[in-house]
Amino acid sequence: MDRYDVAIVGGGPAGAAAAYEAASRGAEAVVLEKGVPRADRDGLGPDSTDAAGMLDYWIEIMGIDPDELPDDVILQELSGTEFEGPTESLRLERTGMEADYPHFGYTFQRARMDDWLIERAEDAGAEYRVEASVTGVDSDLTGDPEHTVSLRNGEEIQADRLVLSDGPQRQVTNRVLDPLLPDGQDITDYVGTTKANHIAYQEHREFPEDAIEKDMLRFWWGAMPGETAYPWVFPNDGTVARVGLTMPIGLDIDDFPNQEEYLLLDADDDSIPSGSEYIERLLERAYPEYDLEDFPLVEDRGKRDGTETYAISSTRPIDSPTGAGIAIAGGAMGTTSAFHEGGYHVAVRSGAIAGELAATRRLEAYNEAWKEAIGDEILRNVSFADIVADYEPADWDRAFSTARKLMQREGSLIGFSPRAGFSGLKLFAQYWWTKRKFRDGGYVQLHEDEFEV
Ligand SMILES: Cc1cc2nc3c(=O)[nH]c(=O)nc-3n(C[C@H](O)[C@H](O)[C@H](O)COP(=O)(O)OP(=O)(O)OC[C@H]3O[C@@H](n4cnc5c(N)ncnc54)[C@H](O)[C@@H]3O)c2cc1C
């Protein structure tokens, strides 16, 4: 049986960053990636959920200088983003956060970025095994932790430390954590696969030249029912853009008697439309001067036939049972925010910290360390998601109108203050109180001391 210092389950950004940091510190590290076929990659590789938007200050959190990236990774430098409400809109040309990157952000070719992260890890000495689907982990915690990782092909490997980076579906993570919880508790009560799950669907479409601002992201809020349900357009290269959406799974349209208020619902819909139906409606309704045929599918991109569907879970993060020699990183620990789909930067950063601490046998510092590095970002995401959880279409209009006034007066959203008038004060107070509720790690839904290790 092969033996390693650090075994890493999942070769996405979190796993690849963990492998790079671990191998750079001289540890024997292996990345186990089940391998997913994609139209935009030769051979199997990481899942590469075609994410692909990076904001200026996320680059700092991620800790990878854009100049280090191969030329074909960054597709488009961004100048800003446009948020559309039912009648109001808001155009942001600055994130308002301190960052060295001179643009609002960039969009990137996700599969190439993931592949580069893996190559970087291999160059540092990590072993990358693809078609290595992990089916289970047997952890012996009677002395120094020892993990036996089983693969679908029947092989087993042994490792002293385990980094779980199998993404937001957590198929391995949940199985590993469950036995570490007290009797009667279930890991899915925290990082649920049913109650907090979303589906993300997207299509690669060619846009008419005049219909796309190539350097602007576009989001529509209050256009679809459900918490954290929204469509977007992300420009890629040329006039190709990804048109996608996120929505909770299992919504009942009868829970939304105000159907006519949503841009993408029809009054006579008797069920929630499918992802592809929503996208067609978005293109027809948000670009009324064009026909649907003006936005052809680009079929040789994405996962298959120009489309992609993913599960994405909208949860708050969990601590890792570091006493068991286990660190959970990236989407698996709940860092991906369905609120704005952001997660690549926190996946890379948490993975890097996990890899470094696993290699240097200091895993006990992990939960402190990731909070120090990405806690502020998580706090912002969790707080905003909490504030808008029950927003109806009209609430988005109110928020955008207030935010626009704040921007005009204050020049930025992030630094807004009570000087911004009554509605600004209300928004400020709500954000302040919500952030207070989750401060000091209050955004963590399962703490290290709740594991029985
Ligand atoms: C539609 C969509 C759009 C998004 N847009 C953005 C964006 O614009 N910007 C941004 O920053 N983030 C975005 N995100 C979030 C981002 O994709 C995630 O935060 C990021 O992928 C998390 O990285 P990860 O390494 O933790 O997990 P993943 O990228 O999910 O990687 C996990 C890996 O584990 C592998 N794996 C799973 N199970 C096993 C197993 N049993 N054995 C072996 N391997 C296994 C998978 O194949 C996969 O490669 C988006 C997500 C979605 C779904």
Side-chain angles (χ1 to χ4, degrees):
M1 193 184 315
D2 288 334
R3 219 199 137 78
Y4 297 87
D5 299 322
V6 186
I8 297 154
V9 181
Y20 170 71
E21 293 295 338
S24 301
R25 282 164 180 79
E28 296 275 343
V30 64
V31 183
L32 305 164
E33 167 56 51
K34 68 178 172 189
V36 175
R38 296 183 58 87
D40 56 7
R41 178 191 281 125
D42 294 332
L44 300 175
D47 200 2
S48 303
T49 56
D50 199 354
M54 186 65 62
L55 301 181
D56 56 2
Y57 74 97
W58 291 5
I59 297 170
E60 322 254 323
I61 293 173
M62 181 166 71
I64 297 178
D65 186 335
D67 290 341
E68 280 183 62
L69 301 172
D71 288 345
D72 55 1
V73 168
I74 294 183
L75 295 174
Q76 182 68 56
E77 284 159 353
L78 296 170
S79 306
T81 188
E82 184 99 31
F83 296 117
E84 312 273 357
T87 59
E88 293 280 349
S89 65
L90 178 68
R91 198 176 164 91
L92 285 183
E93 286 168 358
R94 286 192 295 141
T95 59
M97 303 291 284
E98 239 170 73
D100 287 339
Y101 190 62
H103 308 282
F104 186 84
Y106 59 75
T107 56
F108 58 101
Q109 215 283 5
R110 165 76 195 252
R112 277 187 218 132
M113 177 84 114
D114 282 2
D115 290 349
W116 177 76
L117 285 175
I118 292 279
E119 280 159 32
R120 191 178 70 140
E122 286 184 293
D123 290 346
E127 185 179 330
Y128 170 56
R129 293 201 198 177
V130 75
E131 272 189 281
S133 183
V134 174
T135 50
V137 179
D138 187 19
S139 299
D140 180 356
L141 306 180
T142 46
D144 278 346
E146 194 168 69
H147 307 282
T148 305
V149 182
S150 307
L151 305 183
R152 187 167 303 287
N153 65 5
E155 224 181 305
E156 289 184 334
I157 64 151
Q158 264 186 338
D160 297 338
R161 273 92 65 206
L162 193 63
V163 175
L164 297 171
S165 46
D166 54 337
Q169 295 183 52
R170 307 182 183 93
Q171 281 162 352
V172 180
T173 296
N174 283 354
R175 257 178 271 152
V176 173
L177 297 189
D178 229 11
L180 302 180
L181 288 175
D183 278 351
Q185 281 191 36
D186 191 318
I187 188 66
T188 54
D189 295 339
Y190 299 95
V191 279
T193 45
T194 47
K195 74 178 162 73
N197 244 12
H198 280 60
I199 191 87
Y201 173 77
Q202 60 182 333
E203 297 179 353
H204 296 242
R205 297 256 184 181
E206 184 85 51
F207 272 55
E209 185 78 35
D210 296 338
I212 185 166
E213 271 191 277
K214 291 180 193 160
D215 56 352
M216 295 292 285
L217 305 174
R218 224 171 150 195
F219 297 85
W220 286 260
W221 291 94
M224 302 161 52
E227 181 181 342
T228 326
Y230 61 97
W232 74 84
V233 170
F234 272 39
N236 274 22
D237 50 318
T239 54
V240 175
R242 281 176 300 110
V243 192
L245 56 90
T246 302
M247 61 176 169
I249 293 170
L251 282 184
D252 183 347
I253 200 157
D254 294 334
D255 293 335
F256 303 93
N258 53 342
Q259 264 171 251
E260 70 293 341
E261 290 178 30
Y262 294 94
L263 173 71
L264 301 186
L265 283 188
D266 288 337
D268 58 355
D269 281 335
D270 51 18
S271 62
I272 296 288
S274 66
S276 57
E277 174 63 31
Y278 263 142
I279 300 260
E280 288 195 359
R281 290 184 188 180
L282 178 74
L283 293 173
E284 283 165 353
R285 293 171 197 186
Y287 302 89
E289 56 278 34
Y290 300 95
D291 296 325
L292 195 53
E293 297 75 55
D294 296 327
F295 302 86
L297 254 181
V298 187
E299 294 186 5
D300 59 348
R301 301 208 180 189
K303 205 167 234 177
R304 202 162 62 94
D305 301 333
T307 72
E308 325 204 13
T309 307
Y310 298 104
I312 182 169
S313 66
S314 176
T315 51
R316 290 192 275 119
I318 55 172
D319 272 346
S320 293
T322 61
I326 297 172
I328 314 157
M333 71 184 277
T335 58
T336 301
S337 160
F339 173 54
H340 58 36
E341 311 267 326
Y344 204 93
H345 55 316
V346 283
V348 168
R349 187 65 180 274
S350 57
I353 296 169
E356 176 188 339
L357 296 177
T360 51
R361 296 185 163 273
R362 291 182 296 131
L363 263 193
E364 68 284 355
Y366 179 60
N367 291 316
E368 246 341 272
W370 72 254
K371 286 181 197 111
E372 179 75 29
I374 62 173
D376 285 351
E377 172 70 350
I378 303 273
L379 181 58
R380 272 189 295 273
N381 295 344
V382 165
S383 302
F384 270 121
D386 193 69
I387 289 173
V388 304
D390 300 324
Y391 267 28
E392 302 269 328
D395 297 316
W396 285 105
D397 271 345
R398 257 194 305 279
F400 289 146
S401 140
T402 302
R404 215 185 36 250
K405 287 180 204 144
L406 286 169
M407 299 263 303
Q408 278 156 6
R409 279 178 229 175
E410 309 274 315
S412 143
L413 260 186
I414 302 293
F416 63 73
S417 75
R419 282 194 294 119
F422 180 70
S423 50
L425 183 60
K426 215 169 124 202
L427 197 64
F428 174 79
Q430 204 182 2
Y431 182 56
W432 190 79
W433 275 110
T434 311
K435 264 180 95 171
R436 248 178 95 83
K437 186 168 89 179
F438 292 121
R439 76 184 166 168
D440 297 333
Y443 48 76
V444 173
Q445 30 169 355
L446 179 60
H447 292 91
E448 178 159 23
D449 57 12
E450 293 175 73
F451 289 107
E452 286 191 336
V453 177

